[in-house]
Amino acid sequence: MAILPIITVPDPLLKKISKPVDNVDDKLRAFLDDMLETMYAAPGVGLAAVQVGRLARILVIDTAPDDEDPNPMFFINPDIFWTSDDFAVYNEGCLSIPEQYADIERPAECKVRYLDYNGKKQELHAKELLATCIQHEMDHLEGVVFIDYLSKIKRTMYVKKVKKYVKDND
Ligand code: NI
């Protein structure tokens, strides 16, 4: 396993649309393992493949609380086919926007279809933090990050702060 470098805003790759995965094989699973290790090391609760420079429709997520056992989830070619009418607000962060947070409103629940680590079709009804996390990570596959929901002024300020953070931590 390996820890992969995470790209940060304003890297233009973060604006690109990711492509579906054709085949879930051992080679892909090695990449999934690397993504998970990278996410845990960051540390973070979600990571999309584009954030480590690969435009593939893959997410890894683990929203288990710190005092519980890890619960790694792999979503390949995920598709949200239902969202609830009620909304929830979470103070979101992103490994590609280090140290910055904002309250973002999204549907409180969602249902998602995807392929798992073994390439098996799965369906999940997600609620609470997991529902928010899946929607946040799915946005990455469409070239969207959470600061895109903010005003242009705020967005510019966040990007400036990230640039400074990256420079200071180089
Ligand atoms: Ni993110």
Side-chain angles (χ1 to χ4, degrees):
M1 294 214 281
I3 292 175
L4 309 169
I6 296 174
I7 61 171
T8 53
V9 290
D11 191 312
L13 205 59
L14 289 167
K15 298 259 182 214
K16 302 260 192 214
I17 294 175
S18 294
K19 294 184 182 69
V21 171
D22 293 330
N23 203 5
V24 183
D25 54 14
D26 286 346
K27 208 174 143 200
L28 186 82
R29 275 186 282 274
F31 176 65
L32 297 176
D33 293 341
D34 287 346
M35 277 183 69
L36 189 70
E37 193 182 5
T38 301
M39 183 187 80
Y40 283 149
V45 296
L47 185 71
V50 60
Q51 295 180 273
V52 291
R54 185 158 160 177
L55 285 170
R57 301 187 80 82
I58 299 170
L59 321 172
V60 298
I61 291 177
D62 188 340
T63 55
D66 289 341
D67 58 347
E68 283 178 22
D69 288 340
N71 180 29
M73 302 183 76
F74 301 90
F75 297 85
I76 299 156
N77 298 340
D79 173 36
I80 292 177
F81 62 97
W82 175 86
T83 53
S84 62
D85 292 334
D86 56 324
F87 287 77
V89 176
Y90 273 90
N91 196 244
E92 294 189 18
C94 179
L95 294 176
S96 294
I97 311 170
E99 304 278 285
Q100 308 305 318
Y101 303 90
D103 283 345
I104 305 292
E105 189 181 61
R106 301 182 189 271
E109 300 178 21
C110 64
K111 290 182 183 174
V112 59
R113 285 193 193 101
Y114 60 100
L115 300 177
D116 68 12
Y117 190 83
N118 296 308
K120 206 177 149 221
K121 280 185 190 167
Q122 300 284 357
E123 220 176 273
L124 175 77
H125 184 167
K127 300 173 185 181
E128 299 174 335
L129 178 59
L130 179 59
T132 287
C133 196
I134 288 171
Q135 293 173 77
H136 172 120
E137 301 308 331
M138 293 274 306
D139 273 357
H140 278 297
L141 306 185
E142 304 304 322
V144 173
V145 289
F146 79 81
I147 57 172
D148 293 334
Y149 296 110
L150 308 177
S151 68
K152 200 179 170 192
I153 291 171
K154 271 196 183 165
R155 197 160 63 235
T156 306
M157 186 188 79
Y158 275 53
V159 171
K160 250 187 212 164
K161 284 186 177 174
V162 170
K163 279 184 182 166
K164 185 176 184 306
Y165 175 88
V166 169
K167 207 174 140 212
D168 292 349
N169 289 274
D170 217 1

